[in-house]
């Protein structure tokens, strides 16, 4: 069945797929269906051998204004526990291929959390980031207190989470939340440039390197170093490592196949 609230293009560019959240009237509010569709799309793109990098966007006007407040308003702790939306959100984190969020306009609450769950964030000058859940009597529930704090530190995270204020793309860049800020007209071009650079590398090495960086947020330094070491050894089991090093020695461009 084709998705209702997202657009998926597995061949947006060579080896690059695009997922676009498409609920513009509701400012791309992330209802359960949107999140399920993103999960399904990511599962399929992860299996697709042609795809090496995924770009996730909401379009030029808005990334996502958060979880759907209208859908959430009557929820109870038990209904949320039973629906277990976290398994859907967790799939984003489990995706093996790198995901780059291309953010323009509002990235608020769950929208900011969704962008932070991706591996990199390219933002347009119109982007605004925030965790305004405090304004509606709740708090971040999909990683906002944890990922934001790790990215920008306690002072700014505490201020955003407790006051609900938004920060601009420029502030987000200075705080270390995002990778770059570009004019809105070139958001896709710049995101694509970044994606193409990564897509030209060995998919095996990219996957193992991504896994290792993600691990740094979840473990002690010692365990992280052990994990990195094993993934490093594993790259030497790939044809791509042989190809990459042979190409260097022969002074030519490598042709990585993901084997
Ligand atoms: N949910 C539902 N509808 C929303 C929405 C949202 N988050 N944000 C905007 N809309 C709807 C508005 O109701 C309005 O609909 P109509 O009245 O036209 O029917 C339409 O989008 C346009 O919005 P506005 O008229 O408000 O537009 P403005 O430009 O005046 O203002 C705004 C834009 C983004 C400042 C404002 O709409 C706003 O403050 N929106 C809410 C932002 C917010 O509070 N976000 C955090 C929501 S809580 C979880 C995972 C994640 C979460 C929770 C659980 N689990 C895994 C269990 C996350 C929670 C959240 O994100």
């Amino acid at each position: 069945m084709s998705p209702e609230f997202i657009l998926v293009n597995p061949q947006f560019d060579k080896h690059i797929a695009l997922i676009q959240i498409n609920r513009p009237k509701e400012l791309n509010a992330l209802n359960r269906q949107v999140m399920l569709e993103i999960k399904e799309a990511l599962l399929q793109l992860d299996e697709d051998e042609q795809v090496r990098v995924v770009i996730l966007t909401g379009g030029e006007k808005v990334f996502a204004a958060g979880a759907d407040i209208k859908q959430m308003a009557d929820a109870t702790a038990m209904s949320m526990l039973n629906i277990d939306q976290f398994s859907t959100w967790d799939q984003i984190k489990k995706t093996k291929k790198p995901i780059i969020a291309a953010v323009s306009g509002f990235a608020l609450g769950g929208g900011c959390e969704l962008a932070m769950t991706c591996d990199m964030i390219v933002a347009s000058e119109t982007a605004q980031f925030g965790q305004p859940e405090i304004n509606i009597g709740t708090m971040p529930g999909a990683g906002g207190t944890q990922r934001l704090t790790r990215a920008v530190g306690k002072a700014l995270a505490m201020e955003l989470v407790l006051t609900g204020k938004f920060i601009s793309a420029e502030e987000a860049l200075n705080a270390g939340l995002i990778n770059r800020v570009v004019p809105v007209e070139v958001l896709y071009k710049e995101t694509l440039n970044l994606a193409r650079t990564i897509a030209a590398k060995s998919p095996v090495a990219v996957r193992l390197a991504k896994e290792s960086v993600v691990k740094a947020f979840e473990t002690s330094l010692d365990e992280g170093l052990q994990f990195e070491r094993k993934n490093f050894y594993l790259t030497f089991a790939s044809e791509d490592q042989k190809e990459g090093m042979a190409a260097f020695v022969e002074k030519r461009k490598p042709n990585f196949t993901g084997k």
Side-chain angles (χ1 to χ4, degrees):
M1 229 172 59
S2 47
E4 186 182 348
F5 296 125
I6 65 169
L7 305 169
V8 185
N9 183 352
Q11 291 165 349
F12 182 57
D13 198 72
K14 191 176 176 207
H15 297 313
I16 298 165
L18 182 85
I19 300 176
Q20 178 173 2
I21 307 161
N22 189 30
R23 279 190 92 197
K25 278 199 201 116
E26 293 80 10
L27 304 188
N28 287 343
L30 304 168
N31 64 14
R32 284 195 292 277
Q33 184 66 24
V34 174
M35 293 311 299
L36 279 171
E37 289 178 4
I38 293 176
K39 172 188 167 179
E40 276 312 309
L42 286 173
L43 278 169
Q44 282 177 22
L45 295 172
D46 231 9
E47 291 293 307
D48 185 338
E49 283 188 8
Q50 285 310 308
V51 174
R52 295 186 179 181
V53 180
V54 179
I55 296 173
L56 175 64
T57 190
E60 289 187 359
K61 294 230 168 77
V62 59
F63 182 71
D68 190 321
I69 300 172
K70 292 164 192 164
Q71 190 176 61
M72 220 172 17
D74 295 327
T76 65
M78 284 314 292
S79 69
M80 287 196 285
L81 186 70
N82 289 332
I83 292 168
D84 188 20
Q85 274 194 76
F86 290 108
S87 61
T88 311
W89 283 75
D90 286 348
Q91 186 55 45
I92 301 162
K93 200 191 103 179
K94 283 188 205 147
T95 303
K96 299 183 215 73
K97 292 168 187 172
I99 310 174
I100 305 174
V103 176
S104 200
F106 296 114
L108 305 176
C112 187
E113 292 172 313
L114 180 61
M116 290 191 291
T117 311
C118 296
D119 301 300
M120 278 176 272
I121 303 175
V122 178
S124 84
E125 288 164 344
T126 66
Q128 293 191 66
F129 297 86
Q131 296 291 159
E133 291 90 339
I134 204 80
N135 296 333
I136 51 169
T138 182
M139 59 172 278
T145 64
Q146 303 303 302
R147 290 200 175 94
L148 185 66
T149 308
R150 280 168 165 80
V152 306
K154 178 183 166 189
L156 184 57
M158 201 62 101
E159 191 175 334
L160 294 187
V161 170
L162 298 192
T163 69
K165 81 168 203 178
F166 306 162
I167 54 170
S168 68
E170 203 57 44
E171 288 172 286
L173 181 70
N174 293 336
L177 182 62
I178 65 177
N179 292 76
R180 60 193 67 166
V181 183
V182 299
V184 68
E185 315 82 68
V186 293
L187 177 66
Y188 293 115
K189 185 168 163 263
E190 291 296 326
T191 310
L192 206 46
N193 283 344
L194 180 60
R196 281 179 182 149
T197 305
I198 299 165
K201 314 293 180 202
S202 157
V204 187
V206 166
R207 173 181 166 180
L208 295 172
K210 166 179 163 161
E211 242 180 50
S212 303
V213 174
V214 169
K215 199 75 176 173
F217 292 94
E218 291 166 1
T219 190
S220 68
L221 179 60
D222 203 43
E223 276 177 33
L225 288 170
Q226 294 300 330
F227 188 86
E228 176 191 81
R229 218 156 284 174
K230 285 183 181 141
N231 275 358
F232 168 70
Y233 290 147
L234 206 47
T235 61
F236 283 76
S238 70
E239 290 176 16
D240 278 350
Q241 173 271 326
K242 302 287 174 273
E243 165 63 9
M245 294 194 184
F248 176 82
V249 174
E250 292 159 20
K251 296 187 188 298
R252 62 172 172 83
K253 266 188 145 187
N255 176 25
F256 293 121
T257 59
K259 290 187 183 135

